[in-house]
Amino acid sequence: MKKVGKKYWEVETPETIEFGNNFMRCYDKAGKLQFGIKLNGNFIVKFVIDRKELFSSEEAPGYLRQMVSDWEEMIEEQHNDD
């Protein structure tokens, strides 16, 4: 039987940001960005972006960067309208 090494979340302490009932957690060394929900004090991972896979695409990094920038501008406009 092949011995499996420890998972990245077992050996690296992430930086975690909570917003609403959601969270975003970054494992910098492993190159993983997790998104999920916080339920009863537990973090439930719903999606993971892998740095290596993201940057293997010519379009994905720029698209993600532009989308976040666009969303940020939308929020700023909403605040200015209030």
Side-chain angles (χ1 to χ4, degrees):
M1 181 178 242
K2 184 178 177 181
K3 184 178 178 181
V4 179
K6 288 189 172 192
K7 304 293 184 186
Y8 66 88
W9 58 85
E10 295 175 328
V11 295
E12 186 177 345
T13 301
E15 180 177 349
T16 303
I17 298 172
E18 297 180 42
F19 45 99
N21 290 328
N22 300 287
F23 73 92
M24 178 173 58
R25 184 164 58 188
C26 181
Y27 290 89
D28 209 30
K29 290 178 188 174
K32 307 288 186 188
L33 183 59
Q34 298 180 338
F35 295 90
I37 60 171
K38 189 172 180 184
L39 187 62
N40 299 324
N42 296 313
F43 292 108
I44 312 296
V45 176
K46 295 292 186 179
F47 188 76
V48 178
I49 294 178
D50 180 273
R51 178 176 52 219
K52 185 177 179 181
E53 289 179 12
L54 177 70
F55 283 94
S56 69
S57 166
E58 290 183 19
E59 297 172 323
Y63 180 82
L64 180 60
R65 191 178 303 113
Q66 185 62 51
M67 183 182 63
V68 169
S69 179
D70 291 348
W71 285 6
E72 192 172 34
E73 286 179 23
M74 292 169 141
I75 295 298
E76 288 174 3
E77 288 174 9
Q78 288 175 354
H79 287 312
N80 290 335
D81 290 342
D82 291 342

